[in-house]
């Protein structure tokens, strides 16, 4: 898509202003409700990695290939190698994203939807049931500890307390 079809919208927020673009066809689409027409579908064109998740993938020619000062190839070979590297990197990435981006994004969306569904409908109810039942289990456990384990531990501490033995010699 060429840039002539993109429209720049500025929003006044407390945060840093971003360049946000949207398609004019979606912006001029009239909806039955006014709230839907005032909120077009926004796509962040300029900042596609706002949290620097993939900062380790920012690779340049000089990060991969370097010639020491003692050995240099012809200048044209070095320039054309750099052009070839950048072109192959960019166009290979573009071709792979054309083939893979939409299916992978659909699979990722389905995976996150599945995880959200499992979390909402399975994990959280189990946790809430545990939180509901744990006070009863806790009181039963405390009773068992106070009846059996506490007297045993107190007896062991009295038997092993050497300082009391010396004061109570017969």
């Amino acid at each position: 898509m060429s840039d002539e079809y993109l429209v720049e919208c500025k929003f006044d927020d407390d945060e840093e202003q971003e360049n946000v673009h949207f398609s004019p066809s979606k912006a001029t689409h009239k909806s039955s409700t006014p709230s839907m027409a005032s909120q077009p579908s926004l796509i962040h064109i300029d900042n596609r990695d706002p949290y620097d998740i993939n900062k380790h993938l920012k690779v340049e020619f000089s990060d991969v290939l370097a010639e020491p000062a003692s050995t240099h190839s012809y200048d044209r070979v070095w320039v054309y190698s750099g052009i070839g590297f950048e072109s192959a990197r960019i166009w290979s990435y573009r071709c792979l994203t054309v083939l893979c981006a939409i299916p992978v994004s659909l699979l990722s969306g389905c995976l996150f939807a599945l995880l959200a569904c499992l979390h909402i409908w399975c994990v959280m109810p189990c946790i809430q049931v545990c939180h509901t039942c744990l006070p009863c289990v806790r009181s039963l456990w405390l009773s068992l500890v106070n009846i059996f384990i506490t007297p045993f531990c107190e007896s062991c501490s009295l038997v092993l307390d050497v300082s009391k033995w010396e004061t109570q010699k017969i």
Side-chain angles (χ1 to χ4, degrees):
M1 176 185 288
S2 66
D3 289 342
E4 65 188 32
Y5 295 109
L6 298 176
V7 178
E8 183 172 342
C9 293
K10 302 224 182 220
F11 296 100
D12 294 328
D13 289 333
D14 294 335
E15 298 176 4
E16 180 181 312
Q17 290 187 359
E18 298 177 5
N19 291 331
V20 179
H21 302 283
F22 65 94
S23 172
S25 63
K26 291 184 181 178
T28 58
H29 178 275
K30 293 185 179 180
S31 177
S32 60
T33 59
S35 63
M36 293 299 288
S38 64
Q39 297 177 355
S41 175
L42 300 176
I43 301 171
H44 297 280
I45 297 294
D46 296 333
N47 192 5
R48 297 183 188 186
D49 190 8
Y51 303 114
D52 281 336
I53 294 172
N54 294 316
K55 62 184 171 188
H56 60 282
L57 294 177
K58 295 177 184 174
V59 178
E60 295 180 7
F61 180 67
S62 60
D63 295 332
V64 177
L65 297 171
E67 286 184 333
S70 62
T71 56
H72 277 207
S73 62
Y74 295 111
D75 290 341
R76 291 284 176 198
V77 171
W78 185 254
V79 170
Y80 291 140
S81 297
I83 292 170
F85 175 84
E86 289 298 325
S87 298
R89 182 179 64 87
I90 289 170
W91 284 104
S92 297
Y93 177 76
R94 287 179 180 170
C95 292
L96 287 171
T97 55
V98 165
L99 295 173
C100 300
I102 293 173
V104 169
S105 64
L106 289 174
L107 289 174
S108 298
C110 290
L111 175 67
F112 285 116
L114 176 67
L115 291 175
C117 181
L118 288 174
H119 184 77
I120 291 168
W121 293 103
C122 297
V123 174
M124 287 310 294
C126 289
I127 290 173
Q128 291 300 331
V129 166
C130 288
H131 282 300
T132 303
C133 295
L134 279 180
C136 299
V137 173
R138 182 179 180 268
S139 64
L140 178 65
W141 179 253
L142 284 175
S143 297
L144 290 174
V145 166
N146 287 333
I147 292 171
F148 296 108
I149 298 175
T150 303
F152 175 75
C153 290
E154 286 178 354
S155 299
C156 288
S157 70
L158 289 174
V159 167
L160 297 175
D161 190 8
V162 178
S163 63
K164 288 189 177 181
W165 284 6
E166 293 176 2
T167 58
Q168 295 180 357
K169 285 186 179 178
I170 300 181

